[in-house]
Amino acid sequence: MVIDQERCIGCEACTVACKKENNGLSGWIRVTTLNSPCKDTPAGTFPNLVMHFLPTLCNHCKQPPCAEACPLEAISRSDSGIVVLAEELCDGCRTCLDACPYGAIDFNDAKNKAEKCNLCSHRIETGLEPFCVVCCEGQAIHFGDLNDPDSSVVRILKSNENYCIKPDEGTGPAVYYLTPKTPRRL
Ligand code: SF4
């Protein structure tokens, strides 16, 4: 997944889409800001205020510590690179929540199970894109095969400066962000 911060307007349509599609607790993709701890608060000093939104979700890590930590092997990385949590195998031990350096796993008290973004695997299997991608008002979220040199995500990454969150954790995150070119002046 590639997220273009220049195009994200912080509307949270992605969060609503995720919640609706997956019956999740609060949506497994959430929007925060890069420079400020509060979503609706710009950083800087007037009149030089900037605000960039940062949608975050499971990074579908290439070496996912959540999968390693789960004693029941309820989390696994598929051949296509999606890190899937099989709800039926989860016994609610919460080990994966502590193992994920991104805070990307929720705990559903009502079900006594962990839950997280599965990249809308049920949609991908039928040739559809994740629902957050479809519903993004600013078309800021791109989805595709990072191993395919001709895919749109690879082309976008090649032609834009980009970064991953917490690369030093060594998990190999597969969600990339395009570095904002211009500060958004308010
Ligand atoms: Fe696992 Fe967290 Fe990486 Fe997602 S972001 S694959 S939940 S360690």
Side-chain angles (χ1 to χ4, degrees):
M1 193 168 261
V2 177
I3 298 178
D4 184 347
Q5 286 189 266
E6 285 279 318
R7 298 193 65 91
C8 177
I9 57 171
C11 69
E12 296 183 304
C14 55
T15 307
V16 176
C18 178
K19 190 172 179 182
K20 180 172 186 309
E21 181 70 15
N22 297 296
N23 289 320
L25 276 182
S26 56
W28 299 321
I29 178 167
R30 293 169 191 142
V31 184
T32 178
T33 47
L34 189 58
N35 300 319
S36 166
C38 174
K39 177 180 177 295
D40 296 320
T41 306
T45 308
F46 183 83
N48 298 311
L49 300 174
V50 294
M51 194 146 103
H52 290 294
F53 298 103
L54 184 73
T56 60
L57 67 159
C58 170
N59 280 275
H60 295 276
C61 305
K62 296 176 190 84
Q63 296 89 37
C66 57
E68 214 168 289
C70 177
L72 297 177
E73 299 182 1
I75 305 179
S76 58
R77 187 169 183 269
S78 71
D79 291 343
S80 59
I82 300 172
V83 178
V84 176
L85 193 161
E87 189 182 294
E88 67 280 7
L89 298 179
C90 176
D91 73 348
C93 75
R94 297 177 186 246
T95 314
C96 58
L97 276 80
D98 294 332
C100 172
Y102 298 98
I105 305 181
D106 287 345
F107 193 80
N108 189 322
D109 286 316
K111 291 183 177 175
N112 193 38
K113 288 181 185 293
E115 53 183 34
K116 72 171 205 65
C117 161
N118 283 342
L119 262 189
C120 283
S121 299
H122 57 288
R123 289 175 57 88
I124 294 171
E125 282 163 11
T126 62
L128 299 171
E129 292 187 307
F131 203 41
C132 60
V133 176
V134 176
C135 293
C136 176
E137 292 284 333
Q139 299 182 348
I141 310 175
H142 304 271
F143 169 78
D145 184 356
L146 289 169
N147 291 324
D148 175 0
D150 294 325
S151 68
S152 61
V153 281
V154 170
R155 283 202 305 274
I156 291 168
L157 288 177
K158 272 187 183 163
S159 51
N160 290 279
E161 193 182 332
N162 58 79
Y163 70 97
C164 293
I165 300 176
K166 295 188 185 176
D168 295 347
E169 292 286 346
T171 65
V175 175
Y176 292 82
Y177 294 85
L178 303 188
T179 309
K181 295 186 189 79
T182 51
R184 183 168 291 134
R185 300 286 172 198
L186 298 180

